[in-house]
Amino acid sequence: MDRRDFAKSSLLLGIGVLTGSTQCNKQRTVNQLMNYYREPAKNLPVREFDVVIAGGGTAGVVAALAAARQGAKTILIEMKGYPGGTVVEGGTALHSFYNLWKAFPGVEKRQVVSGIPQEIIDRLLIAGGTTGHAEMLKGYDYDSICTAIDTEIYKLVTFEMLQEAGIFVCVNTLLAGAIMEGSRVRGVITESRSGREAIYAKSFVDCTAYGDLSAHAGADYTEPNDYPVVNSIGVGNVSVEKYYEYLKSHDAVNHYCEGLRSGKEGQIVRLSGISKNLPIEFTEAAGKIGMSTVTTTVHDNYFMFIKLNFKMPVSPTNRDEVAKAELELRKRQAKAIELFREYVPGCEKAFITRTSPSLNIRRGRLITCDYDVKLSDVLEGRHFDDDIMAYGFHDSAPRLQIKDGGTYGIPYKALRVAGIENLLAAGMMITSDHDAHMSTRNTVSCMGQGQAAGTAAALCAGKNCGTRELSYSHLRKTLENGGVYFES
Ligand SMILES: Cc1cc2nc3c(=O)[nH]c(=O)nc-3n(C[C@H](O)[C@H](O)[C@H](O)COP(=O)(O)OP(=O)(O)OC[C@H]3O[C@@H](n4cnc5c(N)ncnc54)[C@H](O)[C@@H]3O)c2cc1C
């Protein structure tokens, strides 16, 4: 993908569907056959802030809180009606606040992500919206801790926290363009029912998951399209205990975890099954719709997440292919309920209680930053002289695990969007290597990155400097004061 093409076409012609490499070329051919309409120039109302956080999801919520707590006048731009992003739509649990101590006997248990992410969990606990940090009793070579959340309470609690921090929260607002002054972002353009606006600021953080702001700003990126898209469902009127007995009767319990559920400790909060041990008719039918048997829950009689997967032929930045995938996933959701009703005891009257407003993916655009975290950095537990956090989970464990149940560091340079003076990226849009990304993209990592990026953006705005001029020792001290845990 030619970055200049994207920025130019999306800004000047209003075409936002050019996609990566091969696909991009096809799309360009189609566009050349089309007539163009030249949008008349118009004056937009301008608002001024210190920091713009684009995207109010997993990383963005934390980034906005961190920026505002440094005294920066902060705006959060979120296209949906609530904060939370993929953490309330796709992921089954938050991985992982702790190192993988249980898989490595003798290794000390330590909480490696704290700060604002932990504060969110504390607030959720009070509101009855999490299992807390529940220890895995089976499958702990995968993770030691499972922190499941109530998706709806998460939306409310984080919304309230944003408001308490004095952040200007714009939900139902699409970030639709970037205003550039050379290699510096001057502002962004937003669209909402209140109209089109220009938002000026000193520092910007892209937390849109797909890197929309970076792409509009002309940053380089790739689109690997190496994951299925997913729309997970919440399933109500089920018996968690009977599902467990069903898996157990087939010797198919893979992950098992007990924690706080419906206000009572010691309840099953995470389950996953080993497909090959389950009846072939069930697993074959489940396989056809890309259904995973892993679920978590915070409530009795409820599976918070059942995932339905579908592999798209092209990158999910292609609107028309996404439309087909959205329909296909909804058909798969209906089929999944049929399967649970037919095969799983205690689920005879199950029904869908929640779907995501749109499909999710583990990575869309990958934005080129000053440093690209490598798999060897993750597996060897490498720390950098500009660490902004420590992290100790890999989604492919036990196949891939961080050395000695320890942690690696995510460096500040991995958040700095290459070639742009005042733009940071946080969340699933960083890290190009597939296997390294299977660690850095996880929820708690994204949250930690958000705290660092929001803090750095605020400090840069305060000093009127670019992201590369910020003193690391200043950033580090401020992060430590914000409760961030460091190992080196
Ligand atoms: C199906 C699935 C299952 C997963 N399971 C787990 C799991 O069990 N545990 C785990 O730790 N991780 C899991 N992950 C990974 C993890 O959930 C994500 O990588 C992480 O939540 C991404 O965070 P983010 O902040 O980068 O993006 P998001 O949380 O998606 O936030 C992006 C936000 O930006 C908004 N946005 C996007 N574009 C614009 C725009 N142009 N204008 C305004 N707003 C915009 C979006 O609406 C969204 O709110 C899973 C991911 C998926 C897809």
Side-chain angles (χ1 to χ4, degrees):
M1 173 75 198
D2 181 329
R3 64 189 174 128
R4 313 268 167 231
D5 278 0
F6 177 87
K8 221 160 74 184
S9 58
S10 60
L11 264 180
L12 300 180
L13 301 172
I15 298 164
V17 293
L18 297 184
T19 54
S21 42
T22 351
Q23 191 53 31
C24 168
N25 297 336
K26 275 190 216 147
Q27 192 70 49
R28 207 176 285 143
T29 316
V30 172
N31 287 340
Q32 276 162 6
L33 300 174
M34 286 179 181
N35 287 328
Y36 285 120
Y37 166 71
R38 184 173 291 273
E39 253 186 310
K42 59 179 174 185
N43 292 327
L44 303 184
V46 173
R47 289 177 189 268
E48 295 241 20
F49 289 85
D50 295 322
V51 174
V52 165
I53 309 291
T58 317
V61 162
V62 183
L65 289 169
R69 287 179 186 183
Q70 291 309 312
K73 190 179 171 197
T74 304
I75 182 171
L76 177 66
I77 300 163
E78 167 55 48
M79 69 183 184
K80 291 175 189 149
Y82 53 85
T86 308
V87 81
V88 296
E89 295 169 6
T92 36
L94 274 62
H95 296 300
S96 173
F97 283 88
Y98 286 72
N99 65 322
L100 199 64
W101 88 93
K102 287 196 91 163
F104 293 83
V107 167
E108 123 196 79
K109 170 184 180 182
R110 52 200 195 274
Q111 181 162 356
V112 298
V113 179
S114 44
I116 297 174
Q118 179 57 42
E119 219 182 288
I120 293 175
I121 300 302
D122 294 341
R123 293 280 292 254
L124 286 171
L125 262 176
I126 295 166
T130 177
T131 55
H133 299 312
E135 266 189 42
M136 296 279 283
L137 299 175
K138 206 166 187 322
Y140 50 75
D141 48 357
Y142 172 67
D143 198 0
S144 297
I145 289 284
C146 164
T147 313
I149 51 149
D150 177 308
T151 56
E152 306 314 304
I153 297 178
Y154 193 99
K155 294 173 190 172
L156 174 61
V157 161
T158 51
F159 214 148
E160 285 175 339
M161 289 175 77
L162 293 165
Q163 194 191 35
E164 288 162 19
I167 294 155
F168 191 81
V169 181
C170 298
V171 287
N172 301 309
T173 303
L174 180 75
L175 183 138
I179 304 163
M180 299 301 292
E181 274 174 359
S183 59
R184 189 169 160 268
V185 185
R186 177 68 185 100
V188 296
I189 294 173
T190 61
E191 293 271 10
S192 73
R193 290 205 178 90
S194 295
R196 200 166 153 90
E197 290 176 285
I199 315 289
Y200 287 174
K202 295 173 184 162
S203 305
F204 297 79
V205 186
D206 189 350
C207 297
T208 60
Y210 283 79
D212 284 13
L213 171 53
S214 305
H216 283 304
D220 275 324
Y221 60 86
T222 56
E223 291 185 61
N225 191 30
D226 53 356
Y227 275 107
V229 291
V230 183
N231 194 327
S232 79
I233 51 178
V235 182
N237 214 11
V238 296
S239 165
V240 181
E241 278 66 32
K242 285 190 179 162
Y243 183 34
Y244 170 62
E245 290 303 329
Y246 173 73
L247 293 177
K248 210 166 103 180
S249 67
H250 290 91
D251 193 22
V253 181
N254 190 21
H255 293 167
Y256 178 87
C257 186
E258 290 178 0
L260 192 60
R261 195 182 83 198
S262 289
K264 200 169 162 204
E265 286 285 2
Q267 306 300 299
I268 302 170
V269 293
R270 182 185 178 99
L271 277 176
S272 78
I274 301 168
S275 304
K276 67 177 172 47
N277 293 4
L278 292 169
I280 186 86
E281 320 81 64
F282 178 58
T283 50
E284 272 185 5
K288 280 187 191 149
I289 56 169
M291 186 177 96
S292 117
T293 55
V294 56
T295 194
T296 54
T297 188
V298 175
H299 300 293
D300 296 347
N301 309 316
Y302 186 44
F303 300 152
M304 196 74 67
F305 290 101
I306 296 290
K307 288 175 208 157
L308 289 312
N309 295 274
F310 170 67
K311 181 72 181 67
M312 283 179 59
V314 297
S315 167
T317 49
N318 181 312
R319 183 198 61 188
D320 299 341
E321 289 299 328
V322 165
K324 291 180 202 162
E326 296 277 14
L327 175 59
E328 176 58 29
L329 283 168
R330 290 198 182 268
K331 288 182 183 167
R332 291 179 179 214
Q333 292 170 334
K335 183 72 189 162
I337 287 295
E338 276 176 30
L339 286 182
F340 267 96
R341 284 181 181 165
E342 190 177 343
Y343 289 101
V344 184
C347 299
E348 294 80 2
K349 292 183 178 173
F351 65 97
I352 296 178
T353 54
R354 177 195 61 78
T355 67
S356 301
S358 51
L359 56 76
N360 300 101
I361 190 158
R362 289 174 174 82
R363 52 191 198 163
R365 291 193 197 95
L366 295 171
I367 304 304
T368 306
C369 291
D370 285 353
Y371 185 78
D372 195 17
V373 178
K374 298 179 187 65
L375 181 61
S376 56
D377 298 335
V378 173
L379 299 185
E380 288 162 21
R382 182 167 177 212
H383 285 271
F384 298 82
D385 55 11
D386 61 343
D387 271 5
I388 47 91
M389 64 181 289
Y391 195 56
F393 172 75
H394 197 292
D395 217 358
S396 284
R399 185 176 65 86
L400 296 173
Q401 273 171 334
I402 300 153
K403 194 177 163 192
D404 299 334
T407 65
Y408 64 96
I410 296 185
Y412 175 51
K413 50 185 165 279
L415 308 185
R416 292 192 307 245
V417 176
I420 301 185
E421 282 173 41
N422 57 343
L423 178 60
L424 296 166
M428 72 179 211
M429 74 186 82
I430 69 158
T431 314
S432 69
D433 180 88
H434 181 97
D435 283 339
H437 184 263
M438 286 191 82
S439 178
T440 65
R441 67 131 191 269
N442 283 281
T443 43
V444 181
S445 164
C446 294
M447 293 165 103
Q449 293 169 41
Q451 179 156 0
T455 304
L459 295 181
C460 289
K463 293 213 163 298
N464 239 321
C465 70
T467 56
R468 288 166 194 84
E469 284 82 61
L470 180 66
S471 129
Y472 172 67
S473 58
H474 188 193
L475 174 61
R476 169 78 177 244
K477 203 167 176 11
T478 315
L479 290 174
E480 282 171 355
N481 290 341
V484 175
Y485 170 86
F486 288 94
E487 291 215 321
S488 62

